[in-house]
Amino acid sequence: MLLWLLLLLSLLLLPLALLRQQWSQDTRWSWIARLQHRVVWGVLGWATTWQWRRLEQSTVHMNQSQQQALRWCLQGAQGPRCPLGGSTEMSTFRNHLPLTKASQAQEEESGGQHPAPTSNQYQGFLSLQATLLGLVTLNKAYPEVLAPGSTACVTLTSPWPSCLPWLGHALGRVNPPGVKDPMVLLLKALRCPGLRVLEAGTAVELLDVFLGLEADGEGLAVAIATGNPGAPLPRRAAELRQALQQGPRGLALRLWPKLQVVVTLDAGGQAEAVAALGALWCQGLAFFSPAYVASGGVVGLNLWPEQPRGLYLLTPGPPFTELLPVKEGAQKEATSTLLLAEAQEGKEYELVLTDRVSLTRCRLGDVVRVVGTYNQCPVIRFTCRLGQALSVRGEDIGEDIFSRALSQAVGQWPGAKLLDYGCVESSILDSFEGSAPHYEVFVELRGLRNLSEENRDKLDHCLQEASPRYKSLRFRGSVGPARVHLVGPGAFRALRAALSACPSSLFPPEMPRVLRYRHLAQFLQRRVVS
C-alpha cells in the first residue's frame, strides 16, 4: 500500500515539477516548488509514522518477527532444493543448512562467485524503511537541513538506500536529473553556496571528490565563471579560487558556510576516509550514514544521526539475520549462531544472513559489537572485517588492530595525515629476499613527501604494542619488520576505479585493506614514490 501511495505521489509531483521549470528560469524557489515540498513532507510524515509503528511492533515481538522472516526465506525456496519442507524449527534449519563464507568478490578477477548474501529481494522494504526513517530523523537532529535547495549529491551514487529520484527532486535537491557525469554534479553543488547537506555514495567517493577538486580547481573555477548561458558567476569562481588557496583544512565550510552535515553510506573500509575528511576538508561537520550496509545490502537502520560514530539497529527481518559469537583467537570457531534476542551487550558477533534465492546461510565476515538495545533488538557498532586480517605466522592481526596501530604511527610522523592504506603479506609479492615473512604496507599521505627509516620503524613498534603475539614472533625472528612504502597522490583512487570496473563489484564498494591478489599488490607497488 505504501509503495502504491508513493507511486501516486510521484505522478502528482511530476506535473508540478514541469510547471516549475516552465515558470521559473532562475535558481530561486517559486511558490510551486514550496508547495511541492510541503506536499512531499506531508506524505512522508504519514508514511514515516506508519513505518515507525511497524518497526516498533517488530522489535517488541522479536522472536515472532524473526520466525516470520525465516518463513519468508523458506517460502522463496520451496521445491527440491529446500530440504526443510517448510519447517521453521531452528535446530532443523541449522542442521540442514550449514554456514558458508562470503567470497571476497571485489578482489576476484572473474567468475565463480557466490551470489551476494543480501540480494535485491530484501532491499525493497528495508531500503525504503531506512530512507524514510533516515530522512525524518536527520531533519529532527539538524532542523532546516532539508529545506528547499539545501542538499546536493556530488557522486553518481546516492547514500540513501532507496533511490527515488522524484523524491529527491521534490525535497529540493539541486542535482539536475539524469546526470551521468560526476563533474556536472560537482559544478552544480559549487554554484550553490547555501547548501546545508552534502551527500556522497560513500566516504571514499567523497574523498576522491575533494582530491579531484584540489587537482582541477582552476578548471572548475573557469567552468563556474562561464556558468549557464546568460548567467555568468564570476564572483563564485573567485570564491572557489580563494577557498582553495587556503588549503584543504575546512575547505567545505569555506565553500558552503551553512553546511551542517555530510551524508554517506557506511560500508567496509570507510573509517580512514571518514577520519581524513573530518580532519581536513570536512573539519567541523557532522557525518551521518542512514544505514549499515554489508556485502551489497542493507542490514541495519541508523536512528541516531547525532551520534559521532554510526549506531545501527539490527531489525528482525527480512532478511533473516543470525549472530555468530566471535571467539578469542583465530583458531577458535563458534559452534552455533544466536538469534537477535539472544545477543549480549558488550559482546562481538559476526553477521550471518540467509539468502532467499539460493537458501544459503552466509557468514558476511563483518564483526559488530552490541552496544545497547532498542526494545528487544540489538543496537550495534561496526568493528572490523574478518577477511581483512594479516597472518604470516598465525598471529592474526585484525583490521581494527592494524588500523589503530597505523593511526598511532602516522600520528608520530610530523605533519602527516593518513588518506588511505593497503597491506600485503610478503608471500604475495615474493618479497622475502632471504628475510622472515613480513607485511608490506602502502600508505598515501598528506603533508609528508618522504618517509625516513625512523618513521618507517615506528609502525612496527606500534604493531608490537598492539599485539603481544606479533611482538613475540618479532622477538624470536619468526616475523620480519613491517616495510612501509609511500605511494603517490591518487594511487588508491586509481585502485578503487580498477576494483569498481570488475563485473563482480558491489555497491557500496568495500575498500580492501589486505590485498590477496598479486596484480592488485603490484598495482600499488608501481606507484611507490618513497
Side-chain angles (χ1 to χ4, degrees), residues 55 126-127 129-131 133 289-292 298-304 311-315:
L55 182 66
L126 194 56
S127 294
Q129 185 180 62
T131 299
L133 297 183
S289 170
Y292 174 59
V298 175
V299 294
L301 311 178
N302 188 349
L303 306 179
W304 304 275
L311 293 180
Y312 301 96
L313 169 66
L314 290 183
T315 59

Side-chain angles (χ1 to χ4, degrees), residues 136-147 196-197 258 260:
V136 173
T137 54
L138 179 64
N139 197 51
K140 282 185 179 180
Y142 304 97
E144 297 185 2
V145 294
L146 297 180
R196 298 176 185 270
V197 182
K258 295 182 179 180
Q260 291 181 264

Side-chain angles (χ1 to χ4, degrees), residues 94-95 99 323-325 327 332-338 361:
R94 288 166 175 155
N95 289 336
L99 295 174
L323 300 173
L324 185 66
K327 300 292 186 180
K332 296 184 180 180
E333 289 281 345
T335 57
S336 182
T337 57
L338 303 175
R361 293 173 69 215

